[in-house]
Amino acid sequence: METQAAIVEAVPARVPRGAILAMAALCAAVFVAALDQTMVLTVMPSIMVSLYIDVTRLNDLGWIITGYLLGYTIAMPLFGRLADVWGRRPMSIVALGLFMVGSAFCVFLGRLDLFVAARVVQAMGGGALVPIAMAAAADMFPPGRRALVLGIIGGAAEAGGVLGPIYGASLTALWSWRLIFLVNIPLCLFLMAVCWRMLRPGLVPRQEEAAAADSDPQPAPADGKTHWWERGRVDYVGAALLALALAGVTIGLGTGTQTVDTGGAAGATAVNWPWLVVSVVAFIAFVLFERRHQRPLIRLDFFKRPPFAAANIAHFLVGAALIIGMVEIPLYAYTLFGMTEIEGGLLLIRLTLMIPVGAVLGGWLADLVGYRITAVLGFLISCGGYLLVSRWPLDPTWVTTTRDLMISGLGFGLVVGPIGATAITAVGQRWMATGSALVTVSRMVGMVVGLSALSSWGVRRFNSLAANITTPMPTFRPPDLTDAEWQARVDAYAAATKAAAHAVFSEFFIIAAIIIGLAVIPAVFFYNKKARGASRLPFLPH
């Protein structure tokens, strides 16, 4: 079996120039979509002024980010399947069109609710681009270079997320925050023209596709009858149910707020339970519907294939572990290490900047030595990096922080190519976009679940440690204390609180290291493909 033995594949001597140009266009499209995930983070104050949002509505402001996450996630499965059925080229144009329309509305709308709705539309186009780009790249390049090209596309997406805040702040300084959305319009028009010119019209001849569609899906019901909504080439009902399930878990867990009780009582996380119930019900209905549909949105039997199931589990764990670092490192830079916001952002970049570098390196290495070995190596490196972070003192040196975060980021990057290549190889050519969409959604869900669960635990853990602080919190100065005695009490309480926060910080990264270390187990089931000649990059002369 492929999962048990290495497969050696020959690599053609030369890759067509058109494929290289098409991949460059796909990388640019994914990069732009990823920029828009994070570019609003640094311009929130300007958006608040323009949309007349005062400080009493800061919770509503979070929907600008949550709305993008929601649209980005729910669009992937449907557009992945549409790209498999109707072709990469037309669906890339549709995705870019949605992204452009959403961006245009963001420029002109002046109400928060409408602005969030425009962000959702924009995100649906951006989220659709990811599986389409991955599948199109896998089509154009031979299997022996599959992990490398997927690593390059993954690196473009990660780089967009890293540079988004700087990009947003720079464009806003030129004119207004609206410029960050306005420039998307000509960019999308240019990319639409390039994708239409460079991408192939379809995957396989229509006759072969129809025959494959009849052989792939679930068997027909015993009575030989199907409802009208079960006969289409794309399962829109299933897509709606899955979108509702993903929306439920995103809203239910992603909009909770944490409270810290300095008096030591158990803090709580505000979880939107009705949405979680909706998510569970919708997911159960989705599974039952997919088992009956003749041409399902997702073939559930894919999850019976160990490599595909393993890739989704591993990416879920990656999302849960990565979000801890991306949230906690800036937070503790401000509160624990006494850094400014700019310094905290620069500290985080030492982690995130290495992810796209590792993604390209991991893709090249996976094609050279195999998906399984590369993934295991990446998980172990990121686990080791997080363990080093957990041992930081209260005043870590620049060398220590840089070394440990770069090690962690490199490990996370190394696994991008192997995970994507394993998922795509497991489902086959006719389901490549769907498979890449599912494995990406697994990471997004992992980020939502990981952030909610770990932040809830962190609040409770801090409150538990704070309850054991023997020095009372200084609220007012008793008249019998001298200035020196009062200052000593204030300093003692601050030191005890800081020690409690430092303990939670260390435990956060120990738990995150365990989570990413557990990903080694599913990685054992990855394909162990490698190719002759894969050590040469596809865009260099041979």
Side-chain angles (χ1 to χ4, degrees), residues 39 327 411 431 446 482:
M39 68 181 184
V327 171
W431 292 79
T482 65

Coordinates of all heavy atoms in Angstrom, one line a residue, residues 39 327 411 431 446 482:
M39 N -5.2 42.8 7.6 CA -4.8 44.2 7.4 C -5.6 45.2 8.2 O -5.2 46.3 8.4 CB -4.9 44.5 5.9 CG -6.3 44.5 5.3 SD -6.3 44.8 3.6 CE -8.0 44.9 3.2
V327 N -1.9 34.5 19.4 CA -2.6 35.3 20.4 C -1.8 35.6 21.6 O -1.8 36.8 22.1 CB -4.0 34.7 20.7 CG1 -4.7 35.4 21.8 CG2 -4.9 34.6 19.5
G411 N 9.0 25.0 12.1 CA 8.3 23.7 12.2 C 6.9 23.8 11.7 O 6.5 22.9 10.9
W431 N -11.5 15.2 -7.1 CA -12.0 15.8 -5.9 C -10.9 16.6 -5.2 O -10.9 16.8 -4.0 CB -12.4 14.6 -4.9 CG -13.7 13.9 -5.3 CD1 -13.8 13.0 -6.3 CD2 -15.0 14.2 -4.8 NE1 -15.1 12.6 -6.4 CE2 -15.9 13.3 -5.5 CE3 -15.5 15.1 -3.9 CZ2 -17.2 13.3 -5.3 CZ3 -16.9 15.0 -3.7 CH2 -17.7 14.1 -4.3
G446 N -9.9 24.2 14.0 CA -8.9 24.0 15.1 C -8.5 25.3 15.7 O -8.4 25.3 17.0
T482 N 3.6 54.1 56.0 CA 4.5 55.1 55.4 C 4.5 54.9 53.9 O 4.0 53.9 53.3 CB 5.9 55.0 55.9 OG1 6.5 53.7 55.5 CG2 6.0 55.1 57.5

